[in-house]
Amino acid sequence: MINLKIDPEFQSQIPPLTDDEFKQLEENILKEGKLLSPLIVWNNTLVDGHNRYTILQKHPEICFSTMPLPFESREEVLAWICKNQLGRRNLTPEQKKFLIGKQYSVEHRKPGGNGNNQYTAAAKEPVQEELCQIDTIPPTSAEVSIRKQIAERNNVSESYVARSEKFMRGVEIMEQMVPGMQEKILSGQFKVRDADMHRLARADFPNRKQIVHEI
């Protein structure tokens, strides 16, 4: 069996299945005896098909194939994942908002922007704080164009896209400070106000702990 790499950031963009959904998927795969659709990969890193790959590891006798896609950067991969997941019909409002925010964030920060993601930023605290203050900087014409495209594709307003980026960043910060919170928030299990996520996204690093405590 091919051993594929699992990228935590890629995987975290994909809403998890419920136990019943995962069980049904496993039963369907076992019934077919193979995967009907290939796993999407980039440089031997899994991009799409994480649940199916988990099942394959439990049942190595199942036949499967992979389809490499020629992405040029992590940002392109993340944007593709978000667009692909936004095509699902069973997303919670929080999941949809998070994915739209993530797609907008990575698309207007592709190479030519600052190129940071949550992991590189976490290693450089000043950069992380700078990114969280990004809403104070007027958007460029390219950002406005990307925002418009994403809004039209998802039947939402451009202001919704901009707010979604702040929501997404707030959720990611919550996850960094309280592991497991992202799944709880996006599933709707733990309710948060958009205003609180926006406030957390804008906060300087030293003030985040207090805001999380208040939430």
Side-chain angles (χ1 to χ4, degrees), residues 78-79 82-83 86 98-108 146 150 153-154:
L78 286 165
C82 291
K83 284 186 282 189
L86 283 166
F98 181 90
L99 289 167
I100 287 175
K102 188 69 174 185
Q103 182 185 350
Y104 176 54
S105 177
V106 297
E107 287 205 0
H108 76 76
I146 291 169
I150 293 174
R153 191 179 301 127
N154 293 284

mmCIF file of all heavy atoms in Angstrom, residues 78-79 82-83 86 98-108 146 150 153-154:
data_model
loop_
_atom_site.group_PDB
_atom_site.id
_atom_site.type_symbol
_atom_site.label_atom_id
_atom_site.label_comp_id
_atom_site.label_asym_id
_atom_site.label_seq_id
_atom_site.Cartn_x
_atom_site.Cartn_y
_atom_site.Cartn_z
ATOM 1 N N LEU A 78 -4.692 24.677 -0.777
ATOM 2 C CA LEU A 78 -5.709 25.072 0.197
ATOM 3 C C LEU A 78 -6.928 25.688 -0.484
ATOM 4 O O LEU A 78 -8.071 25.411 -0.104
ATOM 5 C CB LEU A 78 -5.109 26.057 1.205
ATOM 6 C CG LEU A 78 -4.162 25.439 2.236
ATOM 7 C CD1 LEU A 78 -3.345 26.515 2.939
ATOM 8 C CD2 LEU A 78 -4.943 24.619 3.260
ATOM 9 N N ALA A 79 -6.694 26.514 -1.494
ATOM 10 C CA ALA A 79 -7.810 27.121 -2.220
ATOM 11 C C ALA A 79 -8.643 26.042 -2.906
ATOM 12 O O ALA A 79 -9.882 26.092 -2.899
ATOM 13 C CB ALA A 79 -7.291 28.131 -3.240
ATOM 14 N N CYS A 82 -10.771 24.157 -0.323
ATOM 15 C CA CYS A 82 -11.919 24.955 0.114
ATOM 16 C C CYS A 82 -13.017 24.964 -0.944
ATOM 17 O O CYS A 82 -14.197 24.757 -0.636
ATOM 18 C CB CYS A 82 -11.484 26.381 0.437
ATOM 19 S SG CYS A 82 -10.440 26.514 1.904
ATOM 20 N N LYS A 83 -12.638 25.200 -2.200
ATOM 21 C CA LYS A 83 -13.636 25.222 -3.274
ATOM 22 C C LYS A 83 -14.316 23.862 -3.400
ATOM 23 O O LYS A 83 -15.535 23.780 -3.600
ATOM 24 C CB LYS A 83 -12.968 25.612 -4.600
ATOM 25 C CG LYS A 83 -12.661 27.093 -4.708
ATOM 26 C CD LYS A 83 -12.136 27.476 -6.072
ATOM 27 C CE LYS A 83 -10.698 27.112 -6.252
ATOM 28 N NZ LYS A 83 -10.115 27.673 -7.505
ATOM 29 N N LEU A 86 -16.703 23.356 -0.455
ATOM 30 C CA LEU A 86 -17.866 24.241 -0.535
ATOM 31 C C LEU A 86 -18.928 23.702 -1.489
ATOM 32 O O LEU A 86 -20.063 24.177 -1.492
ATOM 33 C CB LEU A 86 -17.435 25.647 -0.962
ATOM 34 C CG LEU A 86 -16.793 26.485 0.149
ATOM 35 C CD1 LEU A 86 -16.085 27.702 -0.423
ATOM 36 C CD2 LEU A 86 -17.848 26.906 1.172
ATOM 37 N N PHE A 98 -16.272 29.351 7.423
ATOM 38 C CA PHE A 98 -14.847 29.092 7.629
ATOM 39 C C PHE A 98 -14.152 28.820 6.298
ATOM 40 O O PHE A 98 -13.078 29.367 6.018
ATOM 41 C CB PHE A 98 -14.673 27.895 8.566
ATOM 42 C CG PHE A 98 -13.238 27.546 8.863
ATOM 43 C CD1 PHE A 98 -12.576 28.114 9.942
ATOM 44 C CD2 PHE A 98 -12.548 26.645 8.065
ATOM 45 C CE1 PHE A 98 -11.249 27.795 10.215
ATOM 46 C CE2 PHE A 98 -11.227 26.322 8.325
ATOM 47 C CZ PHE A 98 -10.577 26.898 9.406
ATOM 48 N N LEU A 99 -14.755 27.977 5.460
ATOM 49 C CA LEU A 99 -14.142 27.615 4.181
ATOM 50 C C LEU A 99 -14.052 28.811 3.238
ATOM 51 O O LEU A 99 -13.053 28.991 2.536
ATOM 52 C CB LEU A 99 -14.929 26.478 3.527
ATOM 53 C CG LEU A 99 -14.791 25.107 4.192
ATOM 54 C CD1 LEU A 99 -15.853 24.149 3.668
ATOM 55 C CD2 LEU A 99 -13.395 24.533 3.968
ATOM 56 N N ILE A 100 -15.097 29.627 3.211
ATOM 57 C CA ILE A 100 -15.060 30.830 2.374
ATOM 58 C C ILE A 100 -13.957 31.766 2.863
ATOM 59 O O ILE A 100 -13.194 32.324 2.070
ATOM 60 C CB ILE A 100 -16.429 31.538 2.382
ATOM 61 C CG1 ILE A 100 -17.437 30.728 1.547
ATOM 62 C CG2 ILE A 100 -16.320 32.962 1.836
ATOM 63 C CD1 ILE A 100 -18.849 31.274 1.582
ATOM 64 N N GLY A 101 -13.862 31.919 4.180
ATOM 65 C CA GLY A 101 -12.824 32.772 4.739
ATOM 66 C C GLY A 101 -11.431 32.252 4.449
ATOM 67 O O GLY A 101 -10.518 33.018 4.127
ATOM 68 N N LYS A 102 -11.261 30.939 4.536
ATOM 69 C CA LYS A 102 -9.946 30.342 4.268
ATOM 70 C C LYS A 102 -9.581 30.488 2.800
ATOM 71 O O LYS A 102 -8.438 30.828 2.462
ATOM 72 C CB LYS A 102 -9.956 28.861 4.658
ATOM 73 C CG LYS A 102 -8.582 28.204 4.598
ATOM 74 C CD LYS A 102 -7.672 28.747 5.689
ATOM 75 C CE LYS A 102 -6.355 28.013 5.739
ATOM 76 N NZ LYS A 102 -5.504 28.464 6.867
ATOM 77 N N GLN A 103 -10.550 30.238 1.927
ATOM 78 C CA GLN A 103 -10.273 30.372 0.499
ATOM 79 C C GLN A 103 -9.865 31.798 0.154
ATOM 80 O O GLN A 103 -8.887 32.020 -0.567
ATOM 81 C CB GLN A 103 -11.497 29.975 -0.332
ATOM 82 C CG GLN A 103 -11.238 30.043 -1.833
ATOM 83 C CD GLN A 103 -12.470 29.765 -2.663
ATOM 84 O OE1 GLN A 103 -13.502 29.334 -2.149
ATOM 85 N NE2 GLN A 103 -12.386 30.022 -3.949
ATOM 86 N N TYR A 104 -10.593 32.760 0.678
ATOM 87 C CA TYR A 104 -10.260 34.155 0.401
ATOM 88 C C TYR A 104 -8.877 34.497 0.952
ATOM 89 O O TYR A 104 -8.062 35.142 0.287
ATOM 90 C CB TYR A 104 -11.317 35.073 1.018
ATOM 91 C CG TYR A 104 -11.012 36.546 0.877
ATOM 92 C CD1 TYR A 104 -10.756 37.107 -0.374
ATOM 93 C CD2 TYR A 104 -10.975 37.378 1.986
ATOM 94 C CE1 TYR A 104 -10.469 38.456 -0.507
ATOM 95 C CE2 TYR A 104 -10.694 38.728 1.862
ATOM 96 C CZ TYR A 104 -10.442 39.261 0.615
ATOM 97 O OH TYR A 104 -10.149 40.594 0.489
ATOM 98 N N SER A 105 -8.598 34.016 2.144
ATOM 99 C CA SER A 105 -7.312 34.307 2.777
ATOM 100 C C SER A 105 -6.145 33.777 1.956
ATOM 101 O O SER A 105 -5.184 34.498 1.686
ATOM 102 C CB SER A 105 -7.275 33.701 4.185
ATOM 103 O OG SER A 105 -6.022 33.918 4.795
ATOM 104 N N VAL A 106 -6.229 32.511 1.534
ATOM 105 C CA VAL A 106 -5.088 31.929 0.817
ATOM 106 C C VAL A 106 -4.996 32.451 -0.610
ATOM 107 O O VAL A 106 -3.894 32.587 -1.157
ATOM 108 C CB VAL A 106 -5.135 30.382 0.826
ATOM 109 C CG1 VAL A 106 -5.026 29.858 2.238
ATOM 110 C CG2 VAL A 106 -6.368 29.838 0.142
ATOM 111 N N GLU A 107 -6.138 32.773 -1.228
ATOM 112 C CA GLU A 107 -6.077 33.227 -2.615
ATOM 113 C C GLU A 107 -5.487 34.626 -2.727
ATOM 114 O O GLU A 107 -4.807 34.929 -3.706
ATOM 115 C CB GLU A 107 -7.462 33.163 -3.265
ATOM 116 C CG GLU A 107 -7.904 31.740 -3.565
ATOM 117 C CD GLU A 107 -8.912 31.659 -4.692
ATOM 118 O OE1 GLU A 107 -9.273 32.713 -5.256
ATOM 119 O OE2 GLU A 107 -9.341 30.541 -5.008
ATOM 120 N N HIS A 108 -5.733 35.483 -1.749
ATOM 121 C CA HIS A 108 -5.123 36.812 -1.871
ATOM 122 C C HIS A 108 -3.794 36.902 -1.126
ATOM 123 O O HIS A 108 -3.201 37.962 -1.037
ATOM 124 C CB HIS A 108 -6.093 37.930 -1.468
ATOM 125 C CG HIS A 108 -6.330 38.107 0.004
ATOM 126 N ND1 HIS A 108 -5.430 38.712 0.842
ATOM 127 C CD2 HIS A 108 -7.399 37.789 0.778
ATOM 128 C CE1 HIS A 108 -5.925 38.766 2.065
ATOM 129 N NE2 HIS A 108 -7.114 38.201 2.058
ATOM 130 N N ILE A 146 -10.782 39.120 -6.197
ATOM 131 C CA ILE A 146 -10.898 37.765 -5.652
ATOM 132 C C ILE A 146 -12.127 37.659 -4.761
ATOM 133 O O ILE A 146 -12.880 36.687 -4.816
ATOM 134 C CB ILE A 146 -9.622 37.402 -4.860
ATOM 135 C CG1 ILE A 146 -8.438 37.255 -5.819
ATOM 136 C CG2 ILE A 146 -9.822 36.116 -4.064
ATOM 137 C CD1 ILE A 146 -7.098 37.152 -5.130
ATOM 138 N N ILE A 150 -15.300 35.029 -5.328
ATOM 139 C CA ILE A 150 -15.714 34.059 -4.313
ATOM 140 C C ILE A 150 -17.156 34.313 -3.897
ATOM 141 O O ILE A 150 -17.939 33.375 -3.703
ATOM 142 C CB ILE A 150 -14.768 34.118 -3.098
ATOM 143 C CG1 ILE A 150 -13.364 33.636 -3.506
ATOM 144 C CG2 ILE A 150 -15.301 33.271 -1.947
ATOM 145 C CD1 ILE A 150 -12.319 33.789 -2.413
ATOM 146 N N ARG A 153 -19.486 33.052 -6.641
ATOM 147 C CA ARG A 153 -19.466 31.593 -6.736
ATOM 148 C C ARG A 153 -20.296 30.945 -5.626
ATOM 149 O O ARG A 153 -20.868 29.872 -5.811
ATOM 150 C CB ARG A 153 -18.024 31.094 -6.672
ATOM 151 C CG ARG A 153 -17.834 29.622 -7.017
ATOM 152 C CD ARG A 153 -16.371 29.230 -6.940
ATOM 153 N NE ARG A 153 -15.555 30.028 -7.845
ATOM 154 C CZ ARG A 153 -14.473 30.702 -7.470
ATOM 155 N NH1 ARG A 153 -14.081 30.699 -6.211
ATOM 156 N NH2 ARG A 153 -13.775 31.384 -8.353
ATOM 157 N N ASN A 154 -20.357 31.613 -4.474
ATOM 158 C CA ASN A 154 -21.047 31.020 -3.322
ATOM 159 C C ASN A 154 -22.358 31.717 -2.976
ATOM 160 O O ASN A 154 -22.954 31.429 -1.936
ATOM 161 C CB ASN A 154 -20.109 31.042 -2.107
ATOM 162 C CG ASN A 154 -18.918 30.122 -2.282
ATOM 163 O OD1 ASN A 154 -19.032 28.912 -2.160
ATOM 164 N ND2 ASN A 154 -17.755 30.704 -2.590
#
